[in-house]
Amino acid sequence: MIIAVDGPMASGKGTIAKALAAHLSLPHLDTGSLYRATGVAVLDAGVSPEDHTACAALARDLDVSAIDEARIRTAQAGAMASKIAAIPAVRDALFEVQRAFATQPGGAILDGRDIGTVICPDADVKLFVTADPETRARRRWAELTASGETLSFDAMLEQTRERDRRDAGRSDAPMRPADDAILLDTSSLSIDAAVATAIRIVEKRQKA
Ligand code: CDP
């Protein structure tokens, strides 16, 4: 059982993927953390995101067992992740670790942008989780301000739109629903309702 959960920033895909993983006792990989950790490595090394060779080398050298959760969650790490995620050699460098996770015996749940289209086109269930940009910006703004970052809501909304444009507009593995993905709009759903809907979708697929 491979489950792919894709969607834009703060759509709820991570929360849903985590809850599905707990419900089904499946291992879960947040693939955004790989791009975020590479983004942090790029920032630490003082490398330009224009230097594709250097960014790809940092992605290849990434120690996935030593990702600093606190550091990768900042707005700066997210913005850099989205820039370096557009580099094909970076995506190539991170492909194998994702594919190996997905194909482990017993199955897995992965969330990201291109799981249903590129990493696991063979997934048994594909969800594409969305929400309108204002709702997503409000959610992420609340998270970031709670963790001590200071930024205005308007700046957050602009970052949300910019990230959507970049993630959906890149030529390599753009964010888009797979043809066989089921869309789940969480704009007016509570976390519990979104998770319950996702569980229903998966259980229906399992029965079919
Ligand atoms: O948590 P949030 O929704 O902000 O994003 P994330 O899942 O942590 O991903 C951060 C960035 O990594 C995204 O904006 C994408 O540019 C990139 N990413 C990607 O290109 N492909 C993936 N499978 C996952 C993330």
Side-chain angles (χ1 to χ4, degrees):
M1 179 83 164
I2 298 178
I3 302 180
V5 184
D6 289 303
M9 191 193 98
S11 55
K13 64 184 184 313
T15 305
I16 287 173
K18 233 178 272 158
L20 279 174
H23 185 75
L24 299 165
S25 300
L26 283 175
H28 165 234
L29 179 64
D30 161 13
T31 64
S33 69
L34 306 176
Y35 291 93
R36 284 173 173 267
T38 305
V40 168
V42 167
L43 287 164
D44 285 351
V47 162
S48 161
E50 310 291 320
D51 186 344
H52 292 191
T53 310
C55 291
L58 289 166
R60 273 194 299 276
D61 288 347
L62 192 70
D63 179 355
V64 295
S65 64
I67 292 179
D68 181 339
E69 260 303 308
R71 289 201 66 209
I72 66 168
R73 293 298 153 201
T74 65
Q76 192 194 21
M80 184 55 89
S82 167
K83 284 185 193 155
I84 56 95
I87 304 170
V90 166
R91 305 200 72 83
D92 284 351
L94 299 176
F95 180 86
E96 266 320 315
V97 60
Q98 297 176 79
R99 191 64 202 158
F101 191 92
T103 55
Q104 63 188 292
I109 302 187
L110 291 83
D111 75 81
R113 299 290 187 289
D114 63 339
I115 308 305
T117 51
V118 175
I119 305 295
C120 303
D122 51 345
D124 300 283
V125 185
K126 297 179 186 176
L127 289 174
F128 194 86
V129 184
T130 57
D132 59 69
E134 286 76 13
T135 304
R136 291 188 285 115
R138 198 170 351 96
R139 289 174 184 163
R140 186 51 52 87
W141 182 77
E143 280 169 19
L144 290 175
T145 51
S147 73
E149 281 203 49
T150 42
L151 81 169
S152 69
F153 174 76
D154 286 349
M156 189 71 250
L157 183 57
E158 182 42 39
Q159 277 189 33
T160 305
R161 295 205 160 110
E162 191 186 325
R163 198 114 85 78
D164 287 356
R165 267 195 302 275
R166 205 185 291 120
D167 288 349
R170 67 186 175 219
S171 50
D172 191 20
M175 168 178 73
R176 67 169 180 83
D179 293 339
D180 50 349
I182 297 162
L183 298 187
L184 173 50
D185 188 330
T186 66
S187 303
S188 56
L189 295 180
S190 66
I191 290 178
D192 286 352
V195 166
T197 307
I199 289 174
R200 263 201 311 278
I201 291 170
V202 170
E203 288 180 344
K204 202 165 151 200
R205 268 299 158 93
Q206 276 179 317
K207 280 193 200 111

